[in-house]
Amino acid sequence: MISNKTTIHRLGVATVISFIALTASSRQLSFISTDTVLEKTFAWARDMAMSYVHDGSDPVGLWYEAALPGRDAFCMRDLSHQVPAAEMLGLGEYNKNMLCKIAEGISESKDWCSFWEIDKFDRPAPCDFDNDKEFWYNLPANFDVMRACREAYEWTGDSTYLFSPEFVNFYRRTARDYAERWSLTPDSIMGRRRFMNTPEPFDRRKSFHTCRGLPSYAENFSGITVAIDLIGAIMTGYEAYEFFCRQENDEAEVEFARSRAASFLELLEGQWWDAANNRYNTYYKENGEFHRGEGIPYLLLIEALREPERMRASVSDVLSREWNVENLSAFPVFLYRLGYYDEAGRILAVLPTIRRNDYPEVSFGVLEGIVGGAMGIRVSASESSVATCNRCANPIAVSTIENLPFCGGFINISHEGRVSSTLTNNTAKPICWCVSFVGKGSVYDSTGNNVNTRISEDVAGNIISSAKITVAPGAKVCAIFHTGQ
């Protein structure tokens, strides 16, 4: 039995869930499973996450907490990482409002930064901001937000993320002006200075001077000019920018974004990989030396790594070390996706009882770990597709997700062990269902027809059998897996 040692506060879970039922959707995300530990973990995470949702009466509008507890605020980093779970909870309008507030905050007077943290009073949080020249800012944030906006679009299909002037301006300013102003281009980033765009007179004793443009989300390692999480954020940010520009049919910007993303991938794999120790370096200091610290869990979360051998080495690397809750909350989803089911399950079960489990990112990370990791659900509005794969550590567990928001409707997913899966399409459009099973075999649809099955292998070496089935609006389709064929 999971015990929650943190009192769920503010409006209270029942009140918050009731409010969301009236404002965000009339259906509550639910999960039931014969794996009782997994079911209880989900219930804890959903209730805890909902306790951070506010009722829309604050000046900032619809928002949930995505910062240190007690700050009554959301910061760019935490928000970017909580977006997927928030969409799962039916908080799409909350995500859109909060991301729009970030997008609106970008300005030349802040050297194309936005506001690192916004509070419930619809202002830059005073603990991180004095004025446009003196404030706290972590440079991966702009690109991380751009990636999160793409994730929000893939859940919702909301064209606001594609064409709204606030978002389009944020994407373009980040990809062009922000990158130039802070020396975040492929040919300048490794030679950038530690302190840039500083207030005058510059005072090293003031954190709003020395931390106005930190080159990493890690804030406890001095002297770095570049960090691997910054490289990964920029690369995946440009991949998101390429996607957005493609929707606008801007071929010149598509090519620009593609070239930038490729250059940063080449930089990541060419200069940051330490072949002698079979791992990535994570920090680069102003004296020209590489060092080790945080950053690899973030790269695995945002899927910045592409070479399987190096991904396996990175998993071994992160599993050999101790991590704070900010990092550890991301472990379940990326470990499940890469095929490390047992390791993911163990961490998932521990997170609700860990110290600082009231940090909002923990409960949101657990939710994403179950829905996107254990249940293997990945959605794409741009392709009208839903992918599923039962990765639960218990291979015979029967598990069902109901009322999962997608493209203005809902989907239900059930896994009966690793022998069958069912998708119910309660949206207005057909869904291309990419249904996968762990093991080698053949997939059959509800009518007994053999579906063309593709065999692949995940990073951990598990054999995966996949097939595509079209599920009409209002339809319920079952896929059956036969091994050894």
Side-chain angles (χ1 to χ4, degrees), residues 388-430:
T388 66
C389 182
N390 183 10
R391 305 188 186 111
C392 296
N394 182 346
I396 63 172
V398 179
S399 304
T400 300
I401 284 277
E402 291 188 341
N403 302 322
L404 181 64
F406 177 55
C407 281
F410 300 89
I411 56 175
N412 300 336
I413 303 291
S414 294
H415 297 312
E416 298 218 9
R418 293 178 180 169
V419 296
S420 73
S421 294
T422 302
L423 185 149
T424 304
N425 178 8
N426 293 318
T427 77
K429 296 181 179 180

Side-chain angles (χ1 to χ4, degrees), residues 63-359:
W63 76 289
Y64 57 82
E65 295 180 45
L68 287 170
R71 285 203 173 176
D72 285 329
F74 52 94
C75 81
M76 295 175 72
R77 174 200 173 276
D78 293 22
L79 173 60
S80 296
H81 302 171
Q82 291 174 221
V83 159
E87 293 292 346
M88 296 168 188
L89 288 167
L91 302 176
E93 291 300 314
Y94 290 70
N95 277 339
K96 184 163 64 173
N97 178 58
M98 296 158 71
L99 289 167
C100 188
K101 294 289 184 182
I102 296 295
E104 290 172 338
I106 197 169
S107 67
E108 184 172 15
S109 61
K110 298 194 297 295
D111 296 297
W112 303 114
C113 296
S114 180
F115 298 117
W116 170 247
E117 192 167 1
I118 296 173
D119 68 14
K120 67 180 182 180
F121 300 107
D122 199 19
R123 64 184 183 183
C127 57
D128 287 321
F129 187 90
D130 275 348
N131 55 66
D132 280 8
K133 297 300 180 184
E134 298 175 296
F135 57 86
W136 187 286
Y137 210 78
N138 300 63
L139 293 176
N142 277 42
F143 291 98
D144 213 8
V145 166
M146 190 149 55
R147 180 192 57 79
C149 288
R150 181 180 179 181
E151 285 198 88
Y153 173 76
E154 294 291 19
W155 276 99
T156 62
D158 188 336
S159 63
T160 302
Y161 292 108
L162 305 181
F163 306 121
S164 169
E166 295 85 357
F167 284 110
V168 172
N169 179 66
F170 180 82
Y171 305 152
R172 184 68 60 97
R173 293 298 189 182
T174 293
R176 292 285 188 175
D177 302 301
Y178 180 77
E180 292 290 339
R181 186 69 58 91
W182 292 95
S183 293
L184 305 180
T185 62
D187 59 349
S188 68
I189 191 167
M190 295 304 293
R192 67 186 307 277
R193 302 190 309 277
R194 179 183 175 189
F195 300 115
M196 298 184 64
N197 306 313
T198 54
E200 295 293 341
F202 178 59
D203 188 344
R204 285 177 177 260
R205 297 169 299 176
K206 294 183 177 181
S207 63
F208 285 3
H209 288 208
T210 58
C211 298
R212 188 188 188 269
L214 291 170
S216 175
Y217 282 143
E219 301 168 346
N220 57 357
F221 196 95
S222 63
I224 62 175
T225 58
V226 193
I228 200 167
D229 60 336
L230 177 59
I231 300 290
I234 295 172
M235 186 190 86
T236 55
Y238 275 115
E239 289 175 339
Y241 184 54
E242 178 187 348
F243 172 82
F244 290 128
C245 292
R246 186 175 291 112
Q247 312 315 306
E248 292 191 286
N249 297 314
D250 188 338
E251 291 302 321
E253 283 299 287
V254 166
E255 183 53 38
F256 165 74
R258 183 187 298 121
S259 175
R260 280 285 172 94
S263 294
F264 277 100
L265 178 59
E266 182 179 357
L267 180 64
L268 175 68
E269 300 295 359
Q271 294 194 39
W272 289 77
W273 177 251
D274 180 355
N277 292 296
N278 198 37
R279 65 191 187 189
Y280 288 95
N281 290 305
T282 60
Y283 302 144
Y284 187 70
K285 295 189 69 171
E286 54 193 338
N287 62 4
E289 295 179 352
F290 281 106
H291 289 265
R292 290 270 297 164
E294 295 184 36
I296 304 305
Y298 174 74
L299 294 191
L300 293 169
L301 173 66
I302 66 172
E303 299 177 283
L305 304 183
R306 307 296 160 81
E307 296 189 19
E309 288 188 10
R310 294 185 178 184
M311 292 164 75
R312 285 190 286 272
S314 296
V315 170
S316 297
D317 181 18
V318 300
L319 289 177
S320 69
R321 302 171 57 190
E322 297 292 327
W323 298 93
N324 59 24
V325 295
E326 290 90 338
N327 282 285
L328 202 59
S329 62
F331 275 50
V333 68
F334 73 66
L335 287 174
Y336 275 123
R337 285 177 177 168
L338 296 175
Y340 296 85
Y341 310 140
D342 292 338
E343 294 86 346
R346 284 197 294 270
I347 294 172
L348 195 67
V350 167
L351 279 169
T353 64
I354 202 169
R355 190 179 71 84
R356 293 182 65 218
N357 68 353
D358 62 337
Y359 191 87

Side-chain angles (χ1 to χ4, degrees), residues 7-12 16 51-54 65 69-72:
T7 301
I8 297 178
H9 49 291
R10 303 166 184 86
L11 294 177
V16 172
S51 77
Y52 295 110
V53 180
H54 291 258
E65 295 180 45
R71 285 203 173 176
D72 285 329

